[in-house]
Amino acid sequence: MNRIRRAAESVGTPAYVYDLDIIRERFGTLTRLFGRNFGVSFAAKSNPNIELLRALNPLVTTLDVSSFGEVERGLKAGFDPRNLTFSGPAKRVSEIRGAIACGLGELVLESVPEARLASAVAQELGVTQNVLIRLNPVRVPRHFGVNMAGKPSQFGIDEEVCGEAIDIIRALPGLELIGFHIYSGTNSLNVDAIAENFNIFIDLFKRASDRADIHPKKLIFGSGFGIPYMDGESPLDMNALAERIMPAVDSLRSEPRFADANCILEMGRWIVGPAGWLVTSVVAAKESRGVQIRACDAGFNNHLAACGMMGTVIRRNWHIQNLSNPLGAKQKYLLVGPLCTTIDILATNIELPEVHVGNLLAVGGSGAYGITASPTRFISHPEPAEVLLDGDSQVDATESRLNHWETLGRHRAAAENGSQT
Ligand SMILES: Cc1ncc(COP(=O)(O)O)c(C=O)c1O
């Protein structure tokens, strides 16, 4: 954690710090356990930092983008447009046109009307665009953080009507159906649930491919692999998961129809989540009605998810460490952010080594859905810096200086308020 502290000190807080060594190690695990059958698609939405994408490029098969902005980020990070797949429920015509024109790998169709639009655009541009149909299964097993299927949904084409949709899309000029995509549940730590979901995918891929009468070239399995965010949660047992999933995929690929299918695990948080920390400085300390309160320079404006406001019903404390005083005597604290609202809470009743003004606290599990999934404009506090660690070297990957106070320069609470450890 010393590297994390030094990195944050060098750019000032708040700062997101990402460790590439951890990311590479996690890719090593994926390759070892799943590489025989699967490539990996990284979901840019989980962390679209361009320097990070540049580092991920050699490790992944494809980049999953969900807006033209993410297409541009992928291209800036050096991705070949043929290695981009574009999903998302509300693609503007201009986005579809821009993506097709730049030589996009596959457009992931979320509906028949979108397919008609894409067909018209491809014809207008005089090209044939490879497409995948996103299917929305009738059922998602329990134990996923968020379900996108099994109910009315903006994502994909409902399994119940996908036969007719496949017939229509197959007949559209300018589009070449080369496979299918399913992403129906995120953030599961349950091996049985994920394995069952993969069986649902396989069954649906088979039926859809039969109906389309194609030998699919690509099948995207929305992994749903989760990470532990809170005390009491354990990491996914990846060995057990591979043992459950791989035989089913071996069997699928042994069928002549699927012999050439390029199977892809699509995911974001499992790869980058545990490799990132949000480092925040303690700006103020007080006691109120018997509770020790520490106010930090980052709150939900910088990390909505850690404050329990992204897809969670009950806010629970994330893993937080005191980087400045790791050996101090433990005490209980209410950790709040800098915003003028009672809901700006990082942790309640959290036990930490004594926390003083100027200390740096690190919120773990923050590599995915951090800065870009947070309302950073609220109350005009400076946006966090972003730093990429690669072995002993460090790259300042900060993209936005929004709200960095022009007259004061970069806010460094530690320097301003003085460390009192
Ligand atoms: C289509 C699609 N792909 C990939 C992801 C990435 O999910 P995760 O970061 O949980 O792996 C999502 C998340 O919502 C998604 O909707």
Side-chain angles (χ1 to χ4, degrees), residues 90-367:
K91 303 183 196 79
R92 299 166 179 86
V93 184
S94 57
E95 294 182 278
I96 294 176
R97 186 175 293 113
I100 294 180
C102 82
L104 175 79
E106 292 100 30
L107 192 65
V108 180
L109 300 173
E110 307 266 357
S111 69
V112 171
E114 185 182 86
R116 293 193 202 282
L117 271 180
S119 163
V121 170
Q123 282 178 280
E124 176 195 312
L125 293 173
V127 297
T128 299
Q129 175 61 48
N130 284 344
V131 296
L132 306 174
I133 295 179
R134 181 167 180 180
L135 300 167
N136 192 292
V138 172
R139 202 169 71 76
V140 188
R142 289 179 55 215
H143 304 298
F144 283 86
V146 178
N147 279 357
M148 284 107 157
K151 57 187 175 188
S153 167
Q154 68 269 53
F155 304 111
I157 295 176
D158 295 343
E159 173 182 345
E160 307 88 303
V161 294
C162 75
E164 301 94 271
I166 288 168
D167 295 346
I168 295 168
I169 292 170
R170 286 275 282 143
L172 288 173
L175 305 183
E176 174 78 20
L177 178 65
I178 67 152
F180 298 94
H181 172 290
I182 304 179
Y183 201 108
S184 54
T186 62
N187 197 24
S188 178
L189 292 171
N190 187 302
V191 168
D192 291 338
I194 296 174
E196 191 186 340
N197 213 23
F198 273 54
N199 286 334
I200 292 174
F201 296 177
I202 289 172
D203 173 58
L204 191 46
F205 286 151
K206 282 187 186 174
R207 285 187 283 125
S209 302
D210 279 350
R211 175 71 178 235
D213 195 19
I214 58 167
H215 286 52
K217 296 198 183 80
K218 190 169 271 189
L219 296 173
I220 298 190
F221 293 66
S223 78
F225 293 3
I227 56 171
Y229 286 104
M230 291 139 199
D231 287 339
E233 290 180 338
S234 314
L236 255 182
D237 182 341
M238 298 300 276
N239 290 307
L241 193 57
E243 272 171 32
R244 296 285 302 279
I245 287 175
M246 291 298 269
V249 182
D250 285 336
S251 154
L252 174 78
R253 297 182 75 213
S254 70
E255 294 182 21
R257 191 183 280 292
F258 296 97
D260 297 328
N262 193 355
C263 295
I264 300 286
L265 286 174
E266 186 167 289
M267 66 177 106
R269 85 182 69 224
W270 190 88
I271 296 168
V272 292
W277 291 262
L278 169 64
V279 184
T280 177
S281 296
V282 178
V283 177
K286 71 185 270 192
E287 187 182 326
S288 172
R289 304 201 165 103
V291 174
Q292 284 294 334
I293 301 177
R294 298 294 179 267
C296 305
D297 63 2
F300 77 73
N301 55 332
N302 291 164
H303 203 335
L304 199 67
C307 295
M309 292 181 215
M310 203 173 151
T312 37
V313 182
I314 299 167
R315 196 204 59 73
R316 287 196 285 154
N317 296 342
W318 282 32
H319 295 292
I320 298 182
Q321 285 171 268
N322 185 346
L323 301 182
S324 307
N325 187 24
L327 302 176
K330 297 250 171 112
Q331 271 200 39
K332 294 218 165 147
Y333 295 98
L334 168 63
L335 296 182
V336 301
L339 308 176
C340 309
T341 157
T342 50
I343 58 173
D344 190 23
I345 291 174
L346 275 169
T348 50
N349 212 20
I350 189 167
E351 202 167 75
L352 287 171
E354 246 180 295
V355 181
H356 302 284
V357 168
N359 281 179
L360 298 187
L361 307 182
V363 183
S366 299

